[in-house]
Amino acid sequence: MKLNGRVALVTGAGSGLGRQIAVRFANEGASLVINDLRRESAENVASEIRSAGGNAMVLVADVSDSVEVGAMFEEMLETHPRLDILVNNAGIALLSDATKQGFSRVMQEVQSVGRAETTIGAARDMTDSQWRRTLSVHLDGTFYCLRAALRVMEPQGYGKIINMASIAGLAGLPASPDYSAAKAGIIGLTKSVARDVIARGIYVNAIAPGFIDTPLLDVMDPMMRQVITAQTPIGRLGTADEIASLALYLASDESSFTVGQVISANGGYYV
């Protein structure tokens, strides 16, 4: 088993990518700490892992709150004396009705005249609360958990930190300036910290998925989903299991020379 004896914390592990990563890690021998805002969802994943013979505990916390993150790590360390792997996966996707309408309007123009003559207006119409909530969950949450993990990993001289970025942070998505900004920030954070902490045996890398068929895409209307699939050269959305395979590589000893990298599995959407 590639992760036998390791302790792994996966944030936002109650569904989607986080769930798949947690289950894959458990199947490879890791003891899992399942974080999510939704206790029932987290408990369901933990029960699935235990039923398969694995070890899992649940810690409910809002990663955008540094006090809650601190309490989560304290509780985790009462059960596990170390932390070997952190996957910063917790995230949200917010699309306002105005943005959805703007996207539909642009798509209708493209179909009728071959080009868009107006804008989606996502940045123009975005509220302060949406901007702050998206950045706080993704960027602040990644930083708070990374900081807490480093305080455990540096003294032990080992650790693997995997930050979940996105092609939105590489290419930019016109309908999601908040999400794109947060994910670009995570990429910069990954590269900065990776160069520093590798001296203590801590590997920091990021995964920047393309469009993956998970509940995070539920905010999209059918037209948006159809357009995105058509724009992906492989002709389909990705699967959570495909991203979990990348996470396993980065969490295992197989990635012993991989430092500060952003690996993007996106079906050719961004190359």
Side-chain angles (χ1 to χ4, degrees):
M1 293 186 178
K2 295 180 179 180
L3 304 180
N4 195 38
R6 305 283 173 83
V7 177
L9 166 61
V10 182
T11 68
S15 64
L17 293 181
R19 174 202 165 276
Q20 195 67 29
I21 291 170
V23 171
R24 178 68 71 86
F25 283 10
N27 290 340
E28 292 291 337
S31 294
L32 266 295
V33 180
I34 307 296
N35 159 261
D36 205 279
L37 267 177
R38 304 155 299 173
R39 178 173 292 278
E40 183 177 359
S41 297
E43 291 287 0
N44 287 340
V45 177
S47 295
E48 180 180 354
I49 289 172
R50 295 180 193 125
S51 296
N55 181 22
M57 67 179 295
V58 169
L59 292 178
V60 176
D62 181 349
V63 298
S64 70
D65 186 325
S66 63
V67 174
E68 290 195 27
V69 169
M72 175 175 68
F73 271 76
E74 287 182 10
E75 186 174 351
M76 177 189 68
L77 292 172
E78 291 176 0
T79 300
H80 298 289
R82 60 184 291 119
L83 176 65
D84 301 292
I85 304 161
L86 167 67
V87 181
N88 278 312
N89 170 77
I92 56 173
L94 303 173
L95 283 180
S96 68
D97 289 339
T99 296
K100 292 178 183 179
Q101 292 167 4
F103 184 89
S104 297
R105 182 175 62 251
V106 166
M107 287 299 100
Q108 291 170 0
E109 289 179 353
V110 170
Q111 291 172 352
S112 62
V113 301
R115 62 184 297 271
E117 298 179 345
T118 60
T119 66
I120 294 174
R124 180 193 65 220
D125 298 329
M126 184 169 295
T127 63
D128 290 357
S129 61
Q130 179 176 334
W131 173 262
R132 280 303 328 151
R133 182 58 181 162
T134 301
L135 264 69
S136 66
V137 172
H138 289 275
L139 187 53
D140 293 352
T142 295
F143 171 70
Y144 294 150
C145 292
L146 179 147
R147 179 176 63 183
L150 290 178
R151 292 170 179 170
V152 179
M153 292 175 174
E154 285 200 32
Q156 70 191 23
Y158 176 83
K160 294 291 189 89
I161 297 177
I162 303 166
N163 297 326
M164 200 59 67
S166 168
I167 54 167
L170 295 169
L173 300 180
S176 303
D178 52 341
Y179 189 82
S180 299
K183 293 303 190 180
I186 288 172
I187 290 171
L189 175 65
T190 297
K191 291 178 178 290
S192 173
V193 178
R195 293 176 67 91
D196 180 31
V197 301
I198 189 60
R200 289 295 300 152
I202 302 168
Y203 294 74
V204 184
N205 292 285
I207 299 174
F211 292 93
I212 310 300
D213 192 8
T214 70
L216 199 65
L217 294 190
D218 289 348
V219 297
M220 292 183 179
D221 62 31
M223 179 181 290
M224 292 180 70
R225 192 181 182 97
Q226 183 178 356
V227 169
I228 287 166
T229 302
Q231 291 176 340
T232 303
I234 202 171
R236 63 173 176 83
L237 302 179
T239 68
D241 195 54
E242 289 169 323
I243 303 305
S245 295
L246 275 181
L248 176 60
Y249 164 72
L250 292 174
S252 73
D253 292 337
E254 293 179 354
S255 58
S256 56
F257 199 58
T258 305
V259 179
Q261 298 306 300
V262 181
I263 303 177
S264 183
N266 61 62
Y269 187 96
Y270 176 84
V271 296

